[in-house]
Structure formats: C-alpha cells, structure tokens
C-alpha cells in the first residue's frame, strides 16, 4: 500500500528533486509493483532521474532487478551510472535466491568482466566470499596469483572453504593447506589453520 501511494503521487510531481526523492522512497519500500516505473526511469532524459532510479534498483531487497542493472553496467556511457549499477548488480547476486549455484557463479564472472578497475574487482571478490559452492571456490582460487587481488582472493577462498567443508572435506583440507603454506597474511593463516584443526 505504501508503494501504491508513492506511485499515485509520482505523475503529479514535475520537479526533478521531488521525483528523485519519490524514486528513492520506492527503492526503500522494495515493492515489485514499482519496478516498471523504476526501469522506465532508467531511460529518462534527465540524468538525475536516471541516477535516482539506478540507486533504488541497486538497493532492492530481492534479486528481481538484476537484469536491468546488468544492462546499465554493460551499456551506460555515464561512468557514475555504470559503477552504481555494477555495485548494485554485485549486491543483488549475493541475496538469497533459488537459482542454481552455477548460474550464480556465471553472474559473478560477468560482474568481474564488467569491473572497470582493481577496486571494483575487489568488491566482486568480497561478495563472492559469501557464496557456498565448489564453483565459487574455483573462481576465487583463480585470482590467488594476481598480486593486485590476492588478498581478497585468499580471504574469499578461506571463507568459502569453511562454508563447504562439511560437504567437500577433501577439497577443503587441500585448499586450507595450500593457503597455510603460501599466504603472507598471518591472521588468515591462523584462521585457515583453525578451520583445518576443527575438521581433523
């Protein structure tokens, strides 16, 4: 009902600041009835309206706006819009959903390919750390040799390994031993050793 009230008021508001405020409120309410309005606002001629709509979709409480944010991240010529959409895309991937684990990893790979710099790639790896699958572990391990991303990759590997240890004990043990042997992060080494000790 709150979303309906905002949607009913929106057409009468002509000032950009007011429209942006209402679009922001729709994002905080998170009612899917508002999604068509927000996705239409992404294409508004006013860049501020577009920004407000992207921000609202980026903080949505469920993964429904994933495809819309991906499109913006892929195609927007506005750097701010691209970054906001990408960050929202990564955030929504991590939300609980019923999609297969393999599909989730494909989305993270897409996010990594869209990340324009090291900082955004680190954000993707930090989000990947919340995934709980062998595919997530494989993806994180692929960045262990990247000097600019190795710290986040190691953190993701340890966290994912802890989550899958019960289902994949052999893989978990070998991975933890590798981290213990190669990491230069003493805190992470102790964390990995603690997980391994519990398993054994």
């Amino acid at each position: 009902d709150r979303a309906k009230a905002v949607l009913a008021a929106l057409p009468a508001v002509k000032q950009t600041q007011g429209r942006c405020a209402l679009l922001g409120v729709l994002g905080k309410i998170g009612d899917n009835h508002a999604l068509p309005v927000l996705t239409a606002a992404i294409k508004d001629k006013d860049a501020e309206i577009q920004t407000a709509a992207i921000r609202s979709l980026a903080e949505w409480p469920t993964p429904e706006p994933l495809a819309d944010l991906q499109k913006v991240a892929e195609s927007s010529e506005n750097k701010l819009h691209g970054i906001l959409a990408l960050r929202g895309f990564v955030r929504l991937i991590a939300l609980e959903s019923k999609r297969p684990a393999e599909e989730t990893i494909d989305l993270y790979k897409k996010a990594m390919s869209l990340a324009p710099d090291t900082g955004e790639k680190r954000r993707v790896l930090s989000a990947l750390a919340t995934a709980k699958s062998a595919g997530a572990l494989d993806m994180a391990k692929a960045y262990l040799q990247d000097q600019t991303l190795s710290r986040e990759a190691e953190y993701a590997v340890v966290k994912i390994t802890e989550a899958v240890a019960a289902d994949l004990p052999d893989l978990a043990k070998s991975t933890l031993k590798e981290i213990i042997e190669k990491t230069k992060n003493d805190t992470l080494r102790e964390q990995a050793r603690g997980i391994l000790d519990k398993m054994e």
Side-chain angles (χ1 to χ4, degrees):
D1 289 341
R2 288 180 297 171
K4 289 178 182 178
V6 177
L7 290 170
L10 190 59
V13 179
K14 304 302 180 184
Q15 292 183 333
T16 297
Q17 186 175 1
R19 292 184 65 80
C20 288
L22 290 177
L23 293 173
V25 170
L26 288 174
K28 295 184 184 305
I29 295 172
D31 186 330
N32 285 348
H33 288 97
L35 285 175
V37 171
L38 290 170
T39 53
I42 289 175
K43 302 172 184 177
D44 195 277
K45 61 183 179 180
D46 190 318
E48 289 185 46
I49 298 290
Q50 294 176 16
T51 302
I54 294 167
R55 287 186 188 277
S56 288
L57 293 174
E59 63 181 24
W60 209 253
T62 58
E64 273 78 7
L66 265 173
D68 294 302
L69 290 171
Q70 180 179 338
K71 287 179 184 177
V72 176
E74 288 175 336
S75 61
S76 179
E77 296 180 1
N78 183 309
K79 185 176 180 181
L80 173 62
H81 291 172
I83 292 296
L84 289 175
L86 176 62
R87 291 178 181 178
F89 180 64
V90 172
R91 177 185 165 275
L92 296 191
I93 296 172
L95 296 180
E96 185 176 348
S97 74
K98 295 181 180 179
R99 67 174 170 265
E102 295 80 4
E103 186 177 333
T104 295
I105 302 309
D106 287 341
L107 290 172
Y108 277 122
K109 289 179 179 177
K110 170 58 71 174
M112 189 63 90
S113 72
L114 292 172
D117 54 44
T118 300
E120 297 307 317
K121 291 181 187 296
R122 286 172 177 164
R123 285 178 179 270
V124 176
L125 283 172
S126 294
L128 178 66
T130 64
K132 302 176 182 179
S133 69
L137 185 56
D138 287 341
M139 180 176 172
K141 289 173 73 173
Y143 292 94
L144 288 174
Q145 305 305 318
D146 187 323
Q147 292 185 354
T148 62
L149 300 173
S150 59
R151 182 175 179 178
E152 286 73 18
E154 285 182 345
Y155 170 79
V157 165
V158 171
K159 191 169 182 182
I160 297 167
T161 300
E162 184 175 20
V164 303
D167 296 325
L168 303 167
D170 292 339
L171 176 61
K173 287 179 182 179
S174 63
T175 300
L176 290 168
K177 289 176 181 177
E178 181 180 352
I179 292 293
I180 292 169
E181 179 183 346
K182 295 182 179 180
T183 187
K184 296 178 181 179
N185 185 323
D186 293 337
T187 301
L188 196 65
R189 182 184 296 108
E190 290 306 311
Q191 185 180 346
R193 185 173 286 124
I195 298 169
L196 187 60
D197 288 345
K198 285 181 181 179
M199 292 184 67
E200 293 179 340

